[in-house]
Amino acid sequence: MTFKTKSLISALALAWSFSATAAEPIKVGVSGPFTGGSSSMGVSMRDGVKLAVAEINKAGGVLGRQLLLVERDDEAKNERGVQIAQELINKEKVVATVGYINTGVALASQRFYQEAKIPVMNNVATGTLVTQQFKDQPENYIFRNAAHDSIQAPMIVEEAITRRGYKKVAILADSTNYGQLGRADLEKALDLKGVKPVAVEKFNIKDVDMTAQLLKAKEAGAEAILTYGIGPELAQIANGMTKLGWKVPMIGSWTLSMANFIDNAGPGGEGARMPQTFIQEPTTPKRQSFIISYLKTFNPKNARIDSPVSAAQGYDSIYLLAAAIKQANSTEGPKIKAALEDLKAPVDGVVTTYNKPFSATDHEAITANIPVFGEVKGQRVVYAYTDDFKKASEVRVKDPNAKGALAPKK
């Protein structure tokens, strides 16, 4: 073999090596509870993510590379979330992670991504502290495209006290970080209205008897129950009221829209109201396309997405991340973060059109002008108000001056 031939072979091998490297997929972690009481949210989120990835890959991927999801079930357990975070960072070498359903799991796990300078896009967890956990550090790698509790709690209180005129309300919240941080946000919002709850009661995950808590609320004269929990336990609140023969409205966080609340509560859940960033109605062409694709791909029971909010926000989180990778022309964490903080082109999502959704000091994509009120009616979530239906038919974009925004745009 001549020197010239050897050189040619070496050059071709090197070129092939570079080509193979360039074609390697871009790994993105997906963390959420795909089993257990929170799985209604987790599976819907994961399926929304998978739908977005399939669309992006079919269109050629990002930077000429396919997106590859690395899915892990955190079982809604903090310790499991911590293990998964370290595995996805150190073994799988993900360039970013989307997901986190449970606030407690997010707060326990995302510090590893922060240390590794890998962006996290929280697409469901709503605890106000989630994106504020590292606010004292020079850089923050934690982002969110869900309506945080400092938006939801004032909406819940506005609905109960101002819109519906209740004077006496009780709070029932679960004992998790999500429930207790949400309870604190509710009490803060009530205080601004000059209202003190007549009862504040706690319950645990997997509790099936809410009689004691409900009796205290009833005896205190509660005209409405404000809730912070997840579907199965919220259903026990509704069922408990039915058993007591005492029915007052339930108004709570977005989780009252979960299928395992609606189905387990049955008639007792009818009329429950909650803030929603997305309701399964084709109010825009984008939403219509998303709903049709989701139902065709995953065929959920009764043609109803188990957790429409989780599915839509999961879908949008991938498009936001893809836009940042494309703009950064890189899969390096710091460059993706910098691109997210200064996205040049609008991202057409299902929840909203994201026009400069983040900045260096504001990692919340959703402001208070975006969510609407949903109501359980006929075993589905529908728009509670005609005005909200009209609002949802419009293109709602981030308003940094909206009440509930954590920080103004810089």
Side-chain angles (χ1 to χ4, degrees):
M1 188 181 293
T2 67
F3 176 77
K4 187 175 181 180
T5 304
K6 285 181 179 178
S7 297
L8 180 60
I9 290 171
S10 296
L12 287 171
L14 190 62
W16 179 86
S17 174
F18 282 135
S19 174
T21 302
E24 282 182 3
I26 297 171
K27 285 187 174 182
V28 176
V30 187
S31 294
F34 308 138
T35 55
S38 295
S39 62
S40 178
M41 298 178 283
V43 171
S44 297
M45 177 275 291
R46 182 188 64 188
D47 289 348
V49 165
K50 288 166 77 170
L51 195 63
V53 165
E55 291 174 0
I56 291 168
N57 284 343
K58 187 177 179 181
V62 184
L63 305 182
R65 298 162 63 183
Q66 297 282 283
L67 295 177
L68 176 64
L69 296 176
V70 185
E71 302 173 17
R72 291 292 184 271
D73 179 5
D74 64 31
E75 304 169 31
K77 295 176 181 175
N78 294 4
E79 63 277 13
R80 179 69 182 136
V82 165
Q83 292 169 355
I84 288 169
Q86 294 176 84
E87 180 185 345
L88 292 181
I89 293 165
N90 299 317
K91 181 182 176 183
E92 297 295 343
K93 309 294 184 186
V94 298
V95 306
T97 279
V98 301
Y100 288 129
I101 303 295
N102 306 88
T103 294
V105 179
L107 293 174
S109 310
Q110 60 191 15
R111 69 178 185 272
F112 296 99
Y113 292 99
Q114 175 73 11
E115 289 167 4
K117 297 186 176 182
I118 294 173
V120 176
M121 183 67 71
N122 279 277
N123 53 26
V124 178
T126 59
T128 302
L129 283 177
V130 166
T131 57
Q132 305 292 300
Q133 192 174 12
F134 308 110
K135 65 181 180 180
D136 60 338
Q137 297 186 17
E139 294 184 315
N140 180 9
Y141 282 80
I142 313 304
F143 296 81
R144 173 160 49 195
N145 66 304
H148 57 80
D149 292 336
S150 291
I151 288 174
Q152 291 190 66
M155 284 183 70
I156 294 164
V157 168
E158 180 73 14
E159 169 73 9
I161 305 300
T162 306
R163 256 178 153 167
R164 299 174 73 175
Y166 300 125
K167 307 295 183 188
K168 295 182 177 181
V169 296
I171 297 174
L172 267 65
D174 72 32
S175 58
T176 67
N177 275 319
Y178 172 68
Q180 291 308 300
L181 290 169
R183 171 198 55 74
D185 283 332
L186 281 176
E187 289 186 290
K188 193 183 302 180
L190 284 169
D191 188 58
L192 290 173
K193 296 279 188 185
V195 175
K196 186 175 176 62
V198 295
V200 178
E201 295 296 317
K202 187 190 296 187
F203 55 88
N204 296 317
I205 298 297
K206 297 186 179 179
D207 278 0
V208 295
D209 186 359
M210 304 290 179
T211 305
Q213 294 95 326
L214 288 168
L215 280 174
K216 287 181 181 177
K218 182 183 179 183
E219 288 164 5
E223 301 168 308
I225 301 290
L226 310 186
T227 64
Y228 251 89
I230 60 171
E233 290 74 43
L234 296 175
Q236 296 301 340
I237 295 174
N239 293 334
M241 282 195 280
T242 300
K243 288 175 188 174
L244 289 173
W246 177 61
K247 176 65 175 174
V248 295
M250 288 179 69
I251 308 168
S253 63
W254 74 274
T255 47
L256 282 167
S257 64
M258 290 170 63
N260 54 15
F261 166 73
I262 296 170
D263 293 343
N264 293 335
E270 290 287 297
R273 289 187 180 178
M274 74 302 288
Q276 299 281 273
T277 58
F278 173 76
I279 289 173
Q280 191 184 326
E281 293 285 349
T283 50
T284 66
K286 180 74 175 181
R287 292 187 189 121
Q288 182 179 41
S289 174
F290 169 76
I291 292 166
I292 291 170
S293 295
Y294 190 102
L295 297 182
K296 182 179 178 182
T297 305
F298 304 108
N299 193 29
K301 181 182 175 183
N302 299 324
R304 183 194 63 192
I305 302 172
D306 268 13
S307 178
V309 166
S310 302
Q313 291 171 179
Y315 178 91
D316 285 1
S317 69
I318 289 293
Y319 273 96
L320 286 164
L321 187 59
I325 294 171
K326 181 180 178 182
Q327 180 177 306
N329 195 31
S330 172
T331 56
E332 295 175 23
K335 291 181 180 178
I336 297 172
K337 180 191 83 76
L340 281 169
E341 291 175 340
D342 186 27
L343 283 174
K344 306 295 186 186
V347 176
D348 187 18
V350 174
V351 169
T352 187
T353 296
Y354 300 88
N355 189 11
K356 293 201 174 293
F358 307 113
S359 72
T361 56
D362 178 4
H363 284 194
E364 301 283 356
I366 304 298
T367 43
N369 63 307
I370 292 173
V372 295
F373 250 92
E375 178 178 347
V376 177
K377 194 172 184 179
Q379 297 293 96
R380 303 179 77 86
V381 174
V382 300
Y383 288 92
Y385 296 101
T386 304
D387 285 350
D388 277 352
F389 180 83
K390 291 177 181 175
K391 177 180 173 182
S393 302
E394 303 165 355
V395 177
R396 293 168 289 156
V397 297
K398 180 169 182 174
D399 176 6
N401 297 312
K403 186 179 179 182
L406 285 177
K409 270 290 198 211
K410 297 291 183 182

